[in-house]
């Protein structure tokens, strides 16, 4: 069985553009995420476990909150481990390491970390409760886990509306489910934390939008080229892609196009 529905160089245009998309996605919401992380209890000098640390863009920003702490990444994909090690070399000022491995078996003793974060990871995991239990094991008593995910039931919205996006979204959801992804992860974060033994739960929603950084900053979120792998797999027809391209073109050339997507952040504490 796959241990994750996410493989950076599969179902995406290619590894480089997927890495650029992840970087863009971090920058779109970081300030709001940082506020929530701090509200949930993240502070300097903590030892932080970052699950699914990917190319390292989130690690770089996290390190600003814990300059005298440490960050340990656990990343399953060796190519992203290597990328992040290169990328972060002179960018992270706290103690930092990334190990190649799965959240399902974290190579650390019980009670090792003050804080853990898994951003856009749990929606890809087939056994979310076991993953959360494994994080609970390595957290110290009083330690917190923050899970961050989208939910397909809270779809992106735009003005003007792009009607052609509906069919693409539905088919993307089906393709995501077919490889073991959980399109309802966002609304299930609470039950994942509760079901794995976390206490004092909380959940926040934040808005990713094009208002401040401009519509081009959000383009990777709806770039029609991202649909190409689905066309190659025969899940989306060439005609549907053409129609979606035309819809996005009309949207982009409209006056003041605006895009919104909602991200959910849930937090739980180890007793
Ligand atoms: C969508 S990316 C998000 C990367 C990063 N957290 C961010 O927000 O930019 C999901 C990441 O989780 C990693 N991942 C997926 N399954 C994993 C597992 N079982 N254990 C550890 N990492 C995993 C992927 O390889 C990928 O780097």
């Amino acid at each position: 069985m796959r241990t994750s529905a996410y493989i950076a160089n599969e179902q995406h245009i290619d590894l480089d553009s997927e890495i650029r998309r992840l970087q863009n996605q971090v920058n779109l919401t970081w300030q709001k995420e940082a506020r929530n992380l701090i509200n949930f209890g993240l502070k300097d000098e903590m030892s932080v476990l970052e699950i699914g640390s990917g190319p390292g863009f989130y690690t770089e920003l996290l390190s600003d909150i814990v300059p005298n702490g440490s960050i340990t990444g656990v990343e399953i994909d060796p190519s992203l481990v290597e990328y992040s090690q290169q990328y972060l070399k002179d960018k992270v000022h706290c103690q930092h390491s990334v190990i190649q491995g799965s959240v399902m078996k974290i190579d650390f003793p019980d009670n090792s970390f003050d804080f853990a974060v898994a951003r856009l990871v749990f929606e890809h995991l087939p056994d979310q409760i076991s993953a959360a239990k494994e994080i609970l094991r390595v957290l110290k008593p009083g330690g917190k886990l923050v899970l961050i995910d989208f939910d397909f039931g809270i779809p992106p919205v735009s003005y003007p509306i792009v009607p052609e996006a509906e069919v693409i979204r539905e088919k993307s959801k089906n393709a995501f489910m077919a490889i073991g992804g959980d399109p309802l992860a966002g609304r299930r974060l609470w039950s994942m934390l509760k079901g794995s033994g976390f206490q004092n739960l909380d959940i926040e929603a934040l808005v990713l939008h094009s208002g401040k950084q401009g519509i081009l900053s959000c383009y990777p979120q709806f770039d029609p080229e991202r649909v190409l792998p689905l066309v190659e797999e025969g899940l989306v027809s060439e005609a549907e892609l053409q129609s979606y391209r035309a819809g996005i073109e009309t949207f982009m050339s409209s006056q003041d196009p605006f895009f919104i997507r909602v991200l959910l952040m849930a937090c739980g504490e180890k007793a």
Side-chain angles (χ1 to χ4, degrees):
M1 179 164 81
R2 290 171 83 117
T3 53
S4 167
Y6 180 91
I7 300 180
N9 59 358
E10 282 181 23
Q11 294 108 25
H12 302 110
I13 303 170
D14 56 45
L15 183 60
D16 279 354
S17 61
E18 177 56 6
I19 286 175
R20 281 199 305 279
R21 186 185 72 84
L22 291 176
Q23 183 167 32
N24 166 272
Q25 196 162 252
V26 165
N27 293 335
L28 281 169
T29 47
W30 169 249
Q31 285 184 349
K32 292 178 180 181
E33 288 183 54
R35 285 206 296 262
N36 282 337
L37 288 170
I38 291 166
N39 272 340
F40 287 144
L42 179 60
K43 54 176 187 277
D44 195 10
E45 298 184 0
M46 282 186 160
S47 51
V48 180
L49 174 67
E50 187 191 0
I51 299 297
S53 46
F57 306 124
Y58 205 68
T59 319
E60 179 184 4
L61 295 167
L62 271 177
S63 75
D64 290 341
I65 305 181
V66 291
N68 301 297
S70 67
I71 303 177
T72 304
V74 173
E75 169 53 53
I76 203 166
D77 182 335
S79 63
L80 293 179
V81 169
E82 199 185 320
Y83 183 96
S84 67
Q85 281 167 336
Q86 288 299 320
Y87 176 77
L88 291 169
K89 231 187 275 170
D90 50 3
K91 292 196 178 66
V92 164
H93 303 296
C94 68
Q95 251 180 283
H96 171 252
S97 62
V98 55
I99 53 175
Q100 198 255 314
S102 174
V103 62
M104 305 311 292
K105 193 173 182 320
I106 302 169
D107 202 7
F108 277 86
D110 297 358
N111 308 326
S112 293
F113 297 95
D114 297 309
F115 201 95
V117 57
R119 181 179 188 269
L120 305 180
V121 180
F122 270 58
E123 62 188 15
H124 301 291
L125 300 180
D127 186 356
Q128 296 147 331
I129 295 285
S130 298
K133 281 184 177 164
E134 179 61 355
I135 299 173
L136 185 73
R137 181 185 70 75
V138 298
L139 276 174
K140 296 175 188 170
K144 304 267 180 81
L145 166 61
V146 176
L147 299 178
I148 307 171
D149 272 301
F150 292 111
D151 188 301
F152 270 73
I154 310 174
V157 293
S158 67
Y159 191 81
I161 294 170
V162 182
E164 299 84 352
E166 285 296 318
V167 65
I168 301 295
R169 208 156 32 237
E170 192 55 28
K171 294 196 170 187
S172 303
K173 180 177 101 179
N174 294 340
F176 187 54
M177 282 165 69
I179 56 168
D182 177 3
L184 307 183
R187 74 190 68 181
R188 296 189 52 251
L189 294 177
W190 188 281
S191 60
M192 289 175 208
L193 289 169
K194 193 171 173 194
S196 52
F198 283 89
Q199 301 186 348
N200 295 332
L201 308 188
D202 200 359
I203 186 160
E204 294 285 349
L206 65 83
V207 171
L208 172 166
H209 67 90
S210 60
K212 277 196 180 159
Q213 299 182 40
I215 194 64
L216 280 176
S217 70
C218 288
Y219 194 79
Q221 297 284 321
F222 49 78
D223 182 354
E225 298 318 299
R226 288 191 64 212
V227 180
L228 274 175
L230 300 186
V231 176
E232 277 157 23
E233 283 179 57
L235 300 171
V236 170
S237 72
E238 191 60 50
E240 284 165 334
L241 174 60
Q242 290 309 345
S243 151
Y244 180 51
R245 276 198 182 114
I248 293 295
E249 228 175 275
T250 307
F251 170 68
M252 291 300 286
S253 55
S254 66
Q255 197 181 1
D256 277 342
F258 196 77
F259 177 85
I260 288 181
R261 201 173 174 195
V262 173
L263 186 63
L264 296 158
M265 296 179 75
C267 177
E269 182 177 344
K270 178 169 172 172

